[in-house]
Amino acid sequence: ISKAAGVHTSKFYREAHHVRASVGFLYNHESPLRGPSFVSQRIASGAAAIAAGLQQTLTIGDLSARTDWGYAPDFVDAMIRIARRPDADDYIIATGEAHTVEEFVEAAFARVGLDWRDHVTEDRSLLTRTSPARIGNPTHLKTSTGWEPTVTFKELVEILVDAAVQSLTKTNSAAFA
């Protein structure tokens, strides 16, 4: 409700009072700073932990779920471009590409040199709700600002896995020091 109110308030002030207020609708934007409860981090840290021999399996709720995953610094670049526009408008900040959780898992485990099928199980009973695929259309953003994502889906997964491996290495080296 608060998001909808913000969008409508922005539009009202933009139209009635000529306030230069833009709205950005951000789709999944990932970085190593994302919390551990997000599926992207669960997969990245799970792949790192399995590769390190700290766990054997990773259970995922729905491997077929489709999401538009982007890189958070790319989304920050989009927001800066929007803020620098002389006119205000509403923008979708997304990659426009759909990838399944299975694709994410496959790329993450490939990064650590493992076959995901040996370590990942699917348990749909873990899902508290199902959600439709959320794929953004960034055409207006791209044509208005020239914005394009700089990090591909595969590169994004590799960044997250590399950060998880590095974090695990730091944690374990401190524990054994």
Side-chain angles (χ1 to χ4, degrees):
I1 292 172
S2 63
K3 288 180 184 180
V7 169
H8 291 294
T9 301
S10 179
K11 186 175 181 176
F12 169 77
Y13 278 95
R14 189 166 57 222
E15 292 173 358
H17 301 288
H18 308 290
V19 172
R20 192 172 64 87
S22 292
V23 174
F25 298 91
L26 281 66
Y27 279 66
N28 284 32
H29 44 291
E30 308 293 336
S31 87
L33 301 175
R34 189 73 121 149
S37 64
F38 289 89
V39 71
S40 57
Q41 289 298 354
R42 288 187 52 239
I43 295 167
S45 61
I50 290 168
L54 299 174
Q55 73 185 58
Q56 299 301 310
T57 61
L58 172 65
T59 303
I60 297 293
D62 182 4
L63 289 167
S64 67
R66 296 167 47 86
T67 300
D68 184 329
W69 277 295
Y71 187 46
D74 281 346
F75 282 37
V76 171
D77 174 50
M79 290 185 281
I80 290 168
R81 289 171 185 243
I82 290 167
R84 289 182 176 159
R85 299 263 318 140
D87 55 333
D89 206 347
D90 299 336
Y91 298 91
I92 304 294
I93 304 176
T95 67
E97 296 179 9
H99 294 278
T100 65
V101 172
E102 182 176 323
E103 289 175 85
F104 199 112
V105 166
E106 182 177 13
F109 278 79
R111 184 65 174 176
V112 294
L114 297 172
D115 184 340
W116 70 272
R117 291 171 291 234
D118 296 333
H119 304 281
V120 177
T121 58
E122 182 178 51
D123 182 357
R124 290 179 181 251
S125 71
L126 296 175
L127 300 174
T128 56
R129 61 182 167 83
T130 58
S131 37
R134 293 185 183 108
I135 314 306
N137 181 351
T139 302
H140 178 54
L141 172 66
K142 289 178 175 186
T143 58
S144 298
T145 69
W147 178 84
E148 289 285 339
T150 62
V151 173
T152 67
F153 172 74
K154 182 177 182 258
E155 291 168 334
L156 169 64
V157 175
E158 291 174 351
I159 288 167
L160 297 179
V161 172
D162 291 350
V165 167
Q166 184 178 25
S167 176
L168 200 58
T169 303
K170 283 181 186 176
T171 301
N172 285 336
S173 65
F176 297 111

